[in-house]
Amino acid sequence: MLAFVDLEERVPRNHPLRVIKQFADRALAELSPVFDEMYSAGGRPSIPPERLLKASLLISLYSVRSERAFCEELDYQLLFRWFLDMGLMEPSFNPTVFTKNRRRLLKHDVAQRFFDEVVRQAAGLGLLSDEHFTVDGTLIEAAASLKSFRPKDTPPSATPPDDPGNPTVNFHGERRSNATHQSTTDPEARLAKKGKGKEAHLAFMGHALMENRHGLLVDFQLTQATGTAERDAVPELIEQARERGFHPRTLAGDKGYDTRDCVADLRQRKVAPHVTQNTSGRRSAIDGRTTRHAGYAISQRIRKRVEEIFGWMKTVGGFRRTRYRGLERTQLAGYLVATAYNLVRLVRLVSSATAT
């Protein structure tokens, strides 16, 4: 018995993934010259990089727990096959393909370029604010446990662990800090916590630059988690935004950015610091020159949208804890999850514009 299944007909016309596919395909088409540089003309045929990047989007959009689990679902998920332009008879690819091609993606900054192309499309539709932005930071847990946080320059113990998979480590009463200790699993991860009284984790710091008109991400960078990482990332975020063609006039932020050096640096760059005043036992660096304007109150209200971005990336996007070791690989994953978030926002914005 023969049956003909048209995947195009099986996907509803109003499915949001159709709009996401259009934006993603346009962005990947612009990156075609980069893909030509990445792969040689000879040798065995490889999985197209466009397919791998779109697969990474699906992993974030549908909260798939791992690349291996995604490859298993690809065997029976018609929607995934349609999105990746795969036929029903075409076999799923091996999960090691992601690992083998990740080095190529890192070498050519493909994840960031993919993110930038989606942002460029949003700007072309007039959906981005050109002048008013918000910055904020969040902790991304590293793929390393506290048991791997050991004293630096200490040789490994000659005694074998009681359980090789989950050894018993007693660090109670031991003073541990980033100055004296380091993770043996991910040396680039740093011990950090969200605030006083909170538990500490090995983590990286994620920095989001959001435009204020529709809450789209303009940049998302990863750095090591330090006490000043949020403020230290601001100058680079501003310069990167200018290189992308934006002209920041105001920058909103929470109390963590209310320091003399950060505020002075923003003013020197001709950016109005619309950060929340921190008057807890100290004097705020923000005075009446800034707070008297109506735009300051608007920035303070809109800046809270950045928490929605972090919430989506950590819950739906699965980026509460990175799956990868090292800052470079985690940055690649961060750009892909940020791209997925922007595509979800674009679906809503384009749909609302069409309805009106």
Side-chain angles (χ1 to χ4, degrees), residues 23 119 121-130 211-216 246 345-350 352-353:
F23 280 108
V119 172
Q121 290 185 62
L125 294 173
L127 298 174
L128 287 180
S129 167
D130 184 49
E211 60 82 31
N212 286 0
R213 179 177 298 169
H214 290 117
L216 287 163
F246 297 102
R345 284 289 298 154
L346 284 173
V347 170
R348 297 175 183 175
L349 295 172
V350 171
S352 60

Side-chain angles (χ1 to χ4, degrees), residues 109-121 123-124 128-130 133 207-210 217-221 235-248 331 335 338-339 342:
D109 295 325
V110 172
Q112 180 178 353
R113 293 185 181 189
F114 186 27
F115 174 84
D116 289 342
E117 287 298 333
V118 173
V119 172
R120 193 171 290 112
Q121 290 185 62
L128 287 180
S129 167
D130 184 49
F133 300 90
H207 309 275
L209 183 64
M210 179 194 76
L217 273 172
V218 173
D219 201 357
F220 185 77
Q221 297 186 13
E236 185 174 356
L237 290 171
I238 294 294
E239 293 307 315
Q240 290 273 359
R242 287 173 173 166
E243 290 178 6
R244 290 180 170 97
F246 297 102
H247 308 86
Q331 175 68 83
Y335 270 126
T339 303
N342 274 349

